Amino acid sequence: MSAAVRSRAAATAAISAVRRIHAGRVASEQQNQSPGYRRPWAYFRRRQQQSLPRVAPAFQDAQADRGTGASDVGGEPPEIWRQPGEAPGARAGTVGRIDVVRVASGGGGDEKDGDGSGGGWGGSNLGNQFPTPKEICRGLDKFVIGQERAKKVLSVAVYNHYKRVSCESFSSRSAGDSSESDTDMVELEKSNILVMGPTGSGKTLLAKTLARFVNVPFVIADATTLTQAGYVGEDVESILYKLLAAADFDIAAAQQGIVYIDEVDKITKKAESINLSRDVSGEGVQQALLKMLEGTVVSVPEKGARRHPRGDNIQIDTKNILFICGGAFVDLEKTISERRHDSSIGFGAPVRSNMRTGSVVNAEITSTLLESVESGDLIAYGLIPEFVGRFPVLVSLSSLSEDQLVEVLTKPKNALGRQYTKLFGMNDVKLHFTEKALRLIAKRAISKNTGARGLRSILETILTEAMYEIPETRTGKDKIDAVVVDEESVGSVNQHGFGAKILSGEGALDLYLDKQNKESVVRQSDGEPEVDAETPSRVANM
């Protein structure tokens, strides 16, 4: 036998041996493995259930909820997940996640089902009892300092909006009446509001207070998180889902709510360039908001996630939803100044050269220029014409003066002084501000160019040491009676002070006030300039 024949026979024998070994291994694996779990993923799930028996019942219940048509291999998540403590198959007749719709207790209404009937919310449900513009403005005065022009414009806009909604609901009820005049056939359109102003001027607070006063669902959305459909980020429909959640999933109430879109100046379209990529977070968001702002029926995913072909959607009509957009619109005053051809000659004239170089412009000058803003200025800033046209009401807020900042600290219901007074009162400690200290705090906030938002930062710096010491339990002379904020505590406009003074002992605050009153009397007797009668103290009766 030749060598070639012998090698061929040896190779054939080796191949036969390998095949027998492989067949034996396959047979043993088939004996150890059940026929229903031959695929790798199904085998892994079976092994995972065996190692974690406490998860297996929930998995089996989910399979039971899915029905008999579910496959053992692969599979998809159930359409309706069973809630903890719910029996398997208990939700077989439901078609969505929302079972019960609750009505907010602001209007004193009772619970109702999801058909939208009944009361509970305000808005058009108030009918002829809806507050007048002057009543709305007086309600805003309790929470917002200054901005008289903006309060009037917002009050009129909100009143006209809900009067229009109430008129439409009345017209729909009397649609069968044949004695309608030409005026009754006129359809009223809504007027959305665009609010502009420097940071800390009260844009968000005005919108919050308006929604609280008219008792309608209100939601604040951040425009910086929105992107065009199909890209990473939130879709514009997520705004309506938040409004629906704020209305306790009452669709009828949500369709009369108020949506405040903040930081809308951050979604301006980018400058034209050779880059062919889409502007998904700028101009794309503006285009996605167009129909929603004007009024249309929007399909909102029921679970608040992105759109899914198999997901259930909630139909929301945005025709009667009032949209308020706000933004600081930094450097918009430069565009306005260029359009007006403002002169730099004369005392107090805004210097256009400083605007071109990008230096900090006085907030008072900025507020004056924003009062004369036009639609063309916003288009030049980066908003598309279709977006600007959806906002017929343009409101500009002015920067707060020193006197107004002092009032922000003391007068409103939620004044910062009252907030810290309540915080210290939880430890039985009084908080006391002098008049000069309040003036210095206001001046420092103006120098920071952050408006009312800078007040809290300054107060936190002054009161940090006192808030660190107060929680310690002390008795007798070591017991802290009050905390005083005076000129030395605040310091100057450009320099920090020594922090708030801590007074210990029973009646320490009364002794301090008596001492200050005596010193003021002595200064007046020595011929020093007379100070304000309120200067010794503004006791924390805020």
Side-chain angles (χ1 to χ4, degrees), residues 137-209:
C137 191
R138 285 195 292 267
L140 294 176
D141 290 337
K142 298 178 181 178
F143 296 90
V144 184
I145 298 298
Q147 315 300 352
E148 302 301 330
R149 170 66 179 170
K151 289 178 184 177
K152 290 182 180 179
V153 175
L154 288 173
S155 300
V156 172
V158 171
Y159 176 77
N160 289 339
H161 174 74
Y162 287 105
K163 185 171 63 174
R164 179 185 69 87
V165 176
S166 178
C167 179
E168 286 186 357
S169 61
F170 176 77
S171 299
S172 62
R173 289 194 297 267
S174 60
D177 191 1
S178 59
S179 60
E180 292 183 352
S181 61
D182 294 338
T183 306
D184 296 333
M185 300 299 293
V186 175
E187 294 183 0
L188 302 176
E189 296 184 357
K190 68 174 180 179
S191 298
N192 297 318
I193 307 171
L194 181 61
V195 182
M196 299 161 289
T199 178
S201 56
K203 299 184 292 293
T204 309
L205 182 59
L206 277 171
K208 282 183 179 179
T209 310

Side-chain angles (χ1 to χ4, degrees), residues 399-420:
S399 60
L400 299 178
S401 63
E402 180 181 331
D403 294 335
Q404 290 175 338
L405 288 175
V406 173
E407 292 180 359
V408 169
L409 287 169
T410 57
K411 283 191 175 182
K413 286 188 174 181
N414 294 329
L416 284 176
R418 296 185 178 184
Q419 294 181 27
Y420 283 98

Side-chain angles (χ1 to χ4, degrees), residues 183-416:
T183 306
D184 296 333
M185 300 299 293
V186 175
E187 294 183 0
L188 302 176
E189 296 184 357
K190 68 174 180 179
S191 298
N192 297 318
I193 307 171
L194 181 61
V195 182
M196 299 161 289
T199 178
S201 56
K203 299 184 292 293
T204 309
L205 182 59
L206 277 171
K208 282 183 179 179
T209 310
L210 272 176
R212 179 189 305 175
F213 195 71
V214 298
N215 188 27
V216 295
F218 173 76
V219 65
I220 298 178
D222 191 1
T224 57
T225 62
L226 301 176
T227 56
Q228 199 171 357
Y231 293 87
V232 176
E234 295 184 3
D235 294 338
V236 294
E237 290 82 8
S238 63
I239 299 176
L240 298 181
Y241 181 81
K242 295 176 183 177
L243 181 64
L244 190 63
D248 294 335
F249 295 98
D250 184 355
I251 299 179
Q255 290 180 157
Q256 296 184 13
I258 296 178
V259 174
Y260 179 76
I261 305 178
D262 202 4
E263 307 296 343
V264 74
D265 57 321
K266 307 303 186 297
I267 60 172
T268 55
K269 63 180 181 180
K270 307 301 184 292
E272 299 293 338
S273 64
I274 60 175
N275 190 4
L276 300 179
S277 61
R278 303 184 66 179
D279 187 11
V280 298
S281 61
E283 185 177 359
V285 177
Q286 297 184 47
Q287 295 172 353
L289 287 171
L290 292 179
K291 294 304 295 182
M292 184 185 299
L293 294 172
E294 186 175 5
T296 186
V297 178
V298 181
S299 297
V300 181
E302 186 185 78
K303 297 183 179 180
R306 287 187 175 272
R307 293 183 181 178
H308 192 274
R310 296 186 57 192
D312 295 329
N313 295 324
I314 304 173
Q315 304 294 324
I316 297 181
D317 190 359
T318 63
K319 180 177 63 174
N320 295 328
I321 297 178
L322 180 63
F323 287 90
I324 303 176
C325 290
F329 289 91
V330 181
D331 294 338
L332 178 61
E333 67 277 0
K334 300 178 182 179
T335 304
I336 301 173
S337 179
E338 292 293 337
R339 173 179 58 82
R340 295 174 51 184
H341 300 287
D342 289 336
S343 173
S344 300
I345 301 175
F347 295 101
V351 182
R352 293 170 61 188
S353 59
N354 290 342
M355 293 185 179
R356 294 193 189 98
T357 57
S359 59
V360 178
V361 183
N362 189 2
E364 186 176 354
I365 297 176
T366 301
S367 303
T368 304
L369 291 173
L370 287 179
E371 291 178 358
S372 59
V373 65
E374 295 181 358
S375 300
D377 302 325
L378 297 174
I379 295 173
Y381 191 80
L383 297 179
I384 61 178
E386 302 94 313
F387 187 82
V388 176
R390 262 74 173 183
F391 294 94
V393 181
L394 301 179
V395 182
S396 63
L397 273 65
S398 59
S399 60
L400 299 178
S401 63
E402 180 181 331
D403 294 335
Q404 290 175 338
L405 288 175
V406 173
E407 292 180 359
V408 169
L409 287 169
T410 57
K411 283 191 175 182
K413 286 188 174 181
N414 294 329
L416 284 176

